[in-house]
């Protein structure tokens, strides 16, 4: 079963496109480079859907108790696919995210698995063709995934996720029996800061153990942290569109009052969002107030345009890198056969089938 899932690279561009191919359009992944108080200062708490943490895995006892996910109303799946622990951590975050449209594939999957226990949920993930197909399209040899065959140093790597559910932070690790409670989230605070404090504790513990086990200066620590956040490009484009529709209506309102203005926005007013002021609402305002609306909209568009350009550039870079990473399905199939010692036999059989078809075509042509 694990051989049917290729290992993939831990990368924000890979994970973002992976989600899009599964059908989740409203998220992106951002690497977090610091665990200081400023780590999540630029991110809105309600738009952080989960944290994905990569670390060197070691088999050791964890005294922290696990909870019953069904009693908490949390989606939790035990890991039954070794090569897919990154994808499983991502799914654990997405399927517990409130106010996030996860698309038809994951919506159907969550409904199908609602009554299953954690192990059966894990098996359901392993048998989900849309998830497996999206995952396998990012095959990468040198990836940080926990695998049967460890590297030369015996190292293996694992992913877990952190979520906020009903004002509490939980750690979801598919190798455990259930969620682990981390902390309550005080009102008005960013839940990710509580997860950050737990990560600091874990890293300090790993550092101490690694230092004690290795010669001085020889300890090697490798961690990676990503936040699943709202799609910044989509949000910025929507805000710009909203500002253009509002500025257009404000300009029309000024024209109707014999004010000279330059119509800057070629938009179809029928497509305007329902929550922006109507023409009737604007007619009730004085001319100076309308001009202020125009100025505010123009300012907002100017502020958001560089964000759109930067996000577009980032996605172009991701697409270019992913095009080099993504392997054809046939390559994954060949790798699967090679692991089972069946590749040569499959190639020979394929040659025989091809030669037979060629002979049949030649015979058909000769008889005609």
């Amino acid at each position: 079963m694990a051989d049917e899932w290729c290992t993939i690279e831990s990368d924000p561009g890979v994970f973002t496109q992976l989600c899009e191919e599964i059908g989740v359009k409203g998220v992106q992944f951002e690497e977090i480079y610091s665990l200081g108080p400023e780590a999540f200062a630029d991110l809105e708490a309600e738009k952080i859907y989960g944290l994905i943490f990569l670390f060197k895995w070691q088999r050791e006892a964890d005294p922290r108790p696990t909870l019953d996910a069904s009693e908490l109303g949390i989606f939790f799946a035990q890991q039954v696919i070794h090569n897919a622990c990154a994808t499983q951590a991502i799914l654990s975050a997405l399927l517990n995210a409130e106010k996030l449209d996860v698309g038809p594939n994951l919506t159907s999957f969550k409904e199908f698995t609602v009554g299953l226990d954690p192990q059966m949920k894990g098996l359901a993930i392993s048998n989900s063709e849309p998830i497996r197909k999206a995952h396998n399209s990012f095959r990468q040899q040198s990836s940080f995934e926990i695998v049967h065959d460890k590297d030369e140093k015996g190292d293996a790597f694992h992913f877990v996720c952190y979520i906020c559910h009903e004002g509490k932070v939980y750690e979801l690790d598919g190798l455990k029996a259930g969620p682990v409670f981390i902390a309550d989230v005080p009102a008005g605070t960013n839940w990710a800061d509580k997860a950050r404090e737990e990560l600091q504790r874990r890293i300090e513990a790993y550092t101490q153990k690694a230092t004690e086990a290795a010669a001085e200066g020889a300890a090697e620590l490798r961690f990676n942290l990503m936040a699943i956040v709202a799609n910044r490009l989509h949000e910025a484009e929507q805000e710009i569109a909203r500002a253009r529709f509002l500025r257009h209506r404000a300009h029309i309102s000024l024209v109707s009052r014999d004010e000279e203005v330059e119509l800057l926005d070629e938009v179809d007013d029928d497509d305007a969002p329902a929550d922006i002021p109507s023409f009737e609402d604007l007619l009730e305002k004085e001319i100076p107030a309308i001009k202020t609306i125009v100025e505010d909209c123009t300012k907002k568009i100017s502020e958001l345009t560089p964000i759109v350009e930067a996000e577009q550039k980032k996605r172009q870079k991701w697409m270019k890198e992913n095009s080099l990473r993504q392997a054809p399905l046939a390559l994954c199939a060949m790798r699967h056969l090679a692991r089972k010692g069946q590749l040569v036999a499959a190639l020979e059989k394929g040659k025989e089938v091809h030669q037979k078809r060629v002979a049949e075509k030649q015979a058909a042509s000769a008889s005609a």
Side-chain angles (χ1 to χ4, degrees), residues 202-219:
R202 290 185 67 166
I203 290 175
E204 288 172 2
Y206 293 147
T207 302
Q208 183 177 356
K209 289 181 181 179
T211 302
E212 292 173 353
E216 185 175 353

Side-chain angles (χ1 to χ4, degrees), residues 207-249:
T207 302
Q208 183 177 356
K209 289 181 181 179
T211 302
E212 292 173 353
E216 185 175 353
E220 179 186 8
L221 293 172
R222 294 169 70 179
F223 302 101
N224 180 254
L225 179 65
M226 294 189 207
I228 307 177
V229 300
N231 187 313
R232 290 176 172 176
L233 175 60
H234 179 66
E235 287 198 331
E237 288 177 334
Q238 281 193 322
E239 284 296 310
I240 288 177
R242 189 180 186 281
R244 291 185 64 200
F245 278 115
L246 179 54
R247 185 171 66 179
H248 178 70
R249 286 187 177 180

Side-chain angles (χ1 to χ4, degrees), residues 6-9 138-143 324-325 335:
C6 302
T7 55
I8 63 175
E9 184 177 355
F138 292 96
R139 174 187 177 273
Q140 177 75 12
Q141 279 288 89
S142 58
S143 48
L324 298 175
R325 290 186 180 101
R335 181 167 174 256

Side-chain angles (χ1 to χ4, degrees), residues 345-358:
L347 290 174
E348 292 298 328
K349 184 177 180 180
K351 287 168 63 176
E352 290 177 7
V353 172
H354 175 68
Q355 291 171 353
K356 182 179 179 181
R357 288 177 179 173
V358 171

Side-chain angles (χ1 to χ4, degrees), residues 29-134:
F29 288 71
E30 293 290 336
E31 286 198 83
I32 306 299
Y33 296 102
S34 167
L35 284 178
E38 75 286 352
F40 303 102
D42 296 333
L43 301 177
E44 299 178 47
E46 64 273 13
K47 294 181 180 179
I48 303 176
Y49 301 120
L51 301 177
I52 306 298
F53 180 55
L54 165 70
F55 61 99
K56 183 187 292 186
W57 182 82
Q58 293 178 335
R59 189 181 299 277
E60 58 185 2
D62 187 343
R64 298 177 301 170
T66 58
L67 305 173
D68 188 326
S70 62
E71 292 182 358
L72 297 171
I74 291 176
F75 175 91
F76 179 81
Q78 288 185 320
Q79 183 175 319
V80 299
I81 320 157
H82 296 290
N83 290 347
C85 61
T87 296
Q88 179 150 339
I90 293 168
L91 292 175
S92 295
L94 296 177
L95 292 172
N96 285 298
E98 300 177 0
K99 301 178 181 179
L100 174 64
D101 181 3
V102 295
N105 288 327
L106 291 190
T107 298
S108 298
F109 178 82
K110 188 173 183 179
E111 292 172 352
F112 172 74
T113 59
V114 68
L116 303 181
D117 62 34
Q119 185 176 27
M120 292 302 295
K121 281 185 170 73
L123 288 171
I125 291 174
S126 72
N127 290 311
S128 172
E129 185 61 24
I131 296 173
R132 180 169 55 201
K133 183 177 180 181

Side-chain angles (χ1 to χ4, degrees), residues 293-330:
I293 290 175
V294 171
E295 292 172 359
D296 290 344
C297 289
T298 301
K299 181 181 178 182
K300 176 172 283 190
I301 293 170
S302 297
E303 291 173 346
L304 290 173
T305 297
I307 295 176
V308 169
E309 293 173 349
E311 289 298 321
Q312 288 175 335
K313 185 175 181 180
K314 179 194 296 181
R315 278 161 177 73
Q316 289 172 357
K317 178 175 178 288
W318 285 349
M319 289 181 65
K320 183 177 179 180
E321 292 173 347
N322 288 342
S323 67
L324 298 175
R325 290 186 180 101
Q326 287 182 305
L329 183 59

